[in-house]
Short mmCIF file of all heavy atoms in Angstrom, two decimals:
data_model
loop_
_atom_site.label_atom_id
_atom_site.label_comp_id
_atom_site.label_asym_id
_atom_site.label_seq_id
_atom_site.Cartn_x
_atom_site.Cartn_y
_atom_site.Cartn_z
N VAL A 298 -0.99 0.97 2.75
CA VAL A 298 -0.93 -0.30 3.50
C VAL A 298 -2.11 -0.37 4.48
O VAL A 298 -2.81 -1.38 4.56
CB VAL A 298 0.41 -0.44 4.26
CG1 VAL A 298 0.43 -1.75 5.05
CG2 VAL A 298 1.58 -0.41 3.28
N LEU A 299 -2.33 0.70 5.24
CA LEU A 299 -3.42 0.69 6.20
C LEU A 299 -4.77 0.57 5.51
O LEU A 299 -5.67 -0.09 6.02
CB LEU A 299 -3.39 1.96 7.05
CG LEU A 299 -2.18 2.14 8.01
CD1 LEU A 299 -2.44 3.28 8.97
CD2 LEU A 299 -1.87 0.85 8.76
N GLU A 300 -4.89 1.17 4.33
CA GLU A 300 -6.15 1.05 3.59
C GLU A 300 -6.37 -0.38 3.11
O GLU A 300 -7.50 -0.88 3.07
CB GLU A 300 -6.15 2.03 2.43
CG GLU A 300 -6.31 3.49 2.92
CD GLU A 300 -6.20 4.51 1.81
OE1 GLU A 300 -5.59 4.16 0.76
OE2 GLU A 300 -6.67 5.64 1.98
N ARG A 301 -5.26 -1.07 2.76
CA ARG A 301 -5.40 -2.49 2.41
C ARG A 301 -5.79 -3.32 3.63
O ARG A 301 -6.59 -4.25 3.52
CB ARG A 301 -4.11 -3.01 1.80
CG ARG A 301 -3.77 -2.43 0.47
CD ARG A 301 -2.74 -3.26 -0.31
NE ARG A 301 -1.46 -3.36 0.36
CZ ARG A 301 -0.43 -2.52 0.18
NH1 ARG A 301 -0.60 -1.45 -0.60
NH2 ARG A 301 0.70 -2.72 0.78
N PHE A 302 -5.26 -2.95 4.80
CA PHE A 302 -5.64 -3.67 6.01
C PHE A 302 -7.14 -3.51 6.27
O PHE A 302 -7.82 -4.45 6.69
CB PHE A 302 -4.86 -3.14 7.22
CG PHE A 302 -3.42 -3.54 7.26
CD1 PHE A 302 -2.53 -2.91 8.11
CD2 PHE A 302 -2.93 -4.58 6.47
CE1 PHE A 302 -1.19 -3.28 8.18
CE2 PHE A 302 -1.59 -4.97 6.52
CZ PHE A 302 -0.74 -4.31 7.40
N LYS A 303 -7.66 -2.32 6.00
CA LYS A 303 -9.10 -2.11 6.21
C LYS A 303 -9.91 -2.89 5.20
O LYS A 303 -10.92 -3.53 5.54
CB LYS A 303 -9.42 -0.61 6.09
CG LYS A 303 -10.90 -0.28 6.30
CD LYS A 303 -11.16 1.21 6.21
CE LYS A 303 -12.65 1.50 6.37
NZ LYS A 303 -12.94 2.97 6.27
N LYS A 304 -9.49 -2.84 3.95
CA LYS A 304 -10.22 -3.57 2.88
C LYS A 304 -10.23 -5.07 3.12
O LYS A 304 -11.22 -5.74 2.88
CB LYS A 304 -9.55 -3.25 1.53
CG LYS A 304 -10.06 -4.10 0.39
CD LYS A 304 -9.18 -3.91 -0.85
CE LYS A 304 -9.53 -4.91 -1.96
NZ LYS A 304 -8.60 -4.83 -3.08
N CYS A 305 -9.12 -5.57 3.67
CA CYS A 305 -8.93 -7.02 3.85
C CYS A 305 -8.92 -7.38 5.32
O CYS A 305 -8.16 -8.24 5.77
CB CYS A 305 -7.63 -7.46 3.19
SG CYS A 305 -7.39 -6.88 1.48
N PHE A 306 -9.76 -6.70 6.09
CA PHE A 306 -9.69 -6.75 7.55
C PHE A 306 -9.80 -8.17 8.10
O PHE A 306 -9.20 -8.53 9.12
CB PHE A 306 -10.79 -5.90 8.16
CG PHE A 306 -10.68 -5.74 9.65
CD1 PHE A 306 -9.71 -4.95 10.21
CD2 PHE A 306 -11.58 -6.39 10.50
CE1 PHE A 306 -9.60 -4.79 11.57
CE2 PHE A 306 -11.49 -6.26 11.88
CZ PHE A 306 -10.50 -5.46 12.41
N ASP A 307 -10.55 -9.04 7.46
CA ASP A 307 -10.76 -10.39 7.97
C ASP A 307 -9.74 -11.38 7.46
O ASP A 307 -9.82 -12.58 7.79
CB ASP A 307 -12.18 -10.86 7.61
CG ASP A 307 -13.27 -10.07 8.29
OD1 ASP A 307 -13.04 -9.65 9.45
OD2 ASP A 307 -14.29 -9.80 7.64
N GLU A 308 -8.77 -10.92 6.70
CA GLU A 308 -7.75 -11.82 6.17
C GLU A 308 -6.53 -11.82 7.07
O GLU A 308 -6.43 -11.04 8.02
CB GLU A 308 -7.35 -11.38 4.75
CG GLU A 308 -8.51 -11.26 3.77
CD GLU A 308 -9.24 -12.57 3.60
OE1 GLU A 308 -8.61 -13.63 3.65
OE2 GLU A 308 -10.49 -12.53 3.39
N SER A 309 -5.56 -12.68 6.76
CA SER A 309 -4.32 -12.72 7.52
C SER A 309 -3.48 -11.48 7.20
O SER A 309 -3.74 -10.79 6.19
CB SER A 309 -3.53 -13.97 7.15
OG SER A 309 -3.02 -13.87 5.84
#
Side-chain angles (χ1 to χ4, degrees):
V298 179
L299 294 191
E300 289 175 338
R301 291 198 298 271
F302 287 165
K303 181 179 178 180
K304 171 190 171 186
C305 311
F306 188 73
D307 295 323
E308 306 300 327
S309 70

